[in-house]
Amino acid sequence: MASDKLRATLIADKSFVIAEVDKRIYGSFIEHLGRAVYGGIYEPGHATADSLGFRGDVKALVKELDVPIIRYPGGNFVSGYNWEDGVGPVEQRPRRLELAWRTIEPNEVGTNEFMEWAKDVGSEVMMAVNLGTRGVDAARNLLEYCNHPGGTYWSDLRRQHGVAQPHKIKTWCLGNEMDGPWQIGQKTAAEYGRLAYETGKAMRLVDPDIELVSCGSSSSAMPTFPEWEAVTLEHTYDVADYVSLHQYYGNRDNDSANFLARSMDLEHFIRTVTATCDYIKAKKRSKKTMYLSFDEWNVWYHSNESDTKIEPWTIGPAQLEDHYNFEDALLIGSMLITFLRHADRVKMACLAQLVNVIAPIMTEAGGAAWKQTIFYPYLHASTYGRGLSLQPIVNSPKYDAQDYTDVPYLDSAIVYNQESDELTIFAINRHLEEALELKCDVRGFEGYRLIEHIELHHDDLKAVNTAQEQHVKPRQASGTECKDGFVETLLSEASWNVIRLGKKA
């Protein structure tokens, strides 16, 4: 290989186990917002629509991603939502002013329809309850409606609505972003902590087998972070299993080197929340470990200004429709890599959102569904990132950015799938101008050979995909070799790479 290239090394060993990857870190999110539901997953009259009105072309793309869990129905929407509006005969459901996004909610899609759609695409549902305008009573009734077999008012009502078997929803969010002043029914940390505890306590009496997610800070930039986590977990630690994290990044100042280093902020965010959880664990003398649910994350900034022009009180307007470019896909890859390196504590993560609204999948009304640039690292991680997360031992050249120092050009994670006997190395070269010569020590995986090296690369960081053309899409890289226990390759400048090894080439 050429001697003038930047060089990095990586060691992969079966002994360096972080944790088993919970497949739910490849989850996503559907909120009643913009065209996520109406015009996204649901479009009666579309050529591919099924009997319930759900688009078949969208379902096919969701199935391709193999999304294991989907958060629903919000988001900010849930803090003003009456779940009863979305069940029963559709023609009898009320239209409501939806205050979070100032639209009209027709309630054509509700709990049972969404559960049927999720079943069709092979996903579990992470159901959120309204702790903004409502509380204990509405939450326990919804749980009874969804999970109790029958013989009670709410479970029998579900059966009258044509759903004989319980949905058996396992994972439930106790509200959404309750620290945010934009939230309907915003709470102080103490107010939320008490309400969430009492709600969770009642829900566990209905169904002891559920998992509960306590609401964390809306982002690490909130002035109350991480005090919010400390105060709320004082109340919810004994009843909850997870605490939520939300984070979005943007590149408004067009500083790509700084933008691609944002995952270092994500790393700090995860470590801070983990430390806060462990502080409360120690304070309570608890034996339980609190896990993290990163149930909102993405790049989000392209659409912010255009959304101020939305006409209020319409159904399914085009809101938050970021058109993602190639560098966005690189940061999405780094965020996924970060989750994998924290697989011991991050057990769920939901890319927000799934269709049209800051999403990997876009649709045209009456037309095509297509893949945004960020679809591909999400697809590759979901497909090949299941198994044991191994700690990569990395030696990489570094750079300084506007907000970050000592940023390694090589960002990487390793997953060992024992079932398929395959090893996958996820690697990003953050250098914007130079290729990175990478040498991987895989001698601990004797007899493994190269299966393939998938590369996502484009000469233009701002390149986008459209319904007409996939400008940014993966390709098979050439020149990668696996010999005598070492993998040697050249990572293109600004590239996402998936290097797969196995005993069967």
Side-chain angles (χ1 to χ4, degrees), residues 216-293:
S217 295
S218 301
S219 79
S220 59
M222 294 296 289
T224 54
F225 174 77
E227 182 67 14
W228 172 275
E229 279 75 5
V231 173
T232 58
L233 286 174
E234 284 268 12
H235 298 283
T236 63
Y237 199 92
D238 293 335
V239 74
D241 304 283
Y242 308 88
V243 62
S244 71
L245 298 82
H246 293 181
Q247 190 66 65
Y248 299 96
Y249 294 112
N251 189 18
R252 287 190 174 278
D253 55 2
N254 199 28
D255 184 342
S256 297
N258 196 56
F259 177 62
L260 295 183
R262 296 285 187 203
S263 60
M264 295 189 69
D265 177 77
L266 182 70
E267 182 96 24
H268 178 69
F269 188 14
I270 291 171
R271 290 187 184 279
T272 302
V273 174
T274 298
T276 307
C277 291
D278 290 347
Y279 161 67
I280 299 300
K281 176 181 181 179
K283 187 175 181 180
K284 285 181 168 288
R285 286 16 178 210
S286 176
K287 294 182 179 180
K288 183 176 79 174
T289 297
M290 184 67 63
Y291 293 107
L292 310 188
S293 173

Side-chain angles (χ1 to χ4, degrees), residues 314-376:
T314 56
I315 297 173
Q319 290 177 291
L320 280 60
E321 296 198 2
D322 277 33
H323 291 267
Y324 290 111
N325 58 37
F326 172 56
E327 69 179 1
D328 296 330
L330 293 179
L331 183 60
I332 291 299
S334 272
M335 294 177 80
L336 287 161
I337 281 172
T338 304
F339 296 151
L340 285 170
R341 289 202 304 259
H342 288 276
D344 56 333
R345 296 303 285 268
V346 178
K347 298 299 182 181
M348 294 187 289
C350 300
L351 178 69
Q353 295 188 17
L354 187 54
V355 184
N356 287 331
V357 176
I358 48 174
I361 299 169
M362 294 294 292
T363 70
E364 293 180 328
W370 49 279
K371 303 172 182 178
Q372 293 232 62
T373 61
I374 66 171
F375 184 95
Y376 293 108

Side-chain angles (χ1 to χ4, degrees), residues 4-41:
D4 59 345
K5 300 293 183 185
L6 291 172
R7 291 188 178 89
T9 61
L10 179 151
I11 300 174
D13 193 280
K14 293 179 183 178
S15 302
F16 303 160
V17 176
I18 298 171
E20 179 81 24
V21 176
D22 190 319
K23 67 180 182 179
R24 294 177 298 174
I25 70 167
Y26 307 120
S28 193
F29 181 24
I30 287 286
E31 181 174 358
H32 283 247
L33 159 61
R35 297 194 309 125
V37 176
Y38 305 111
I41 65 171

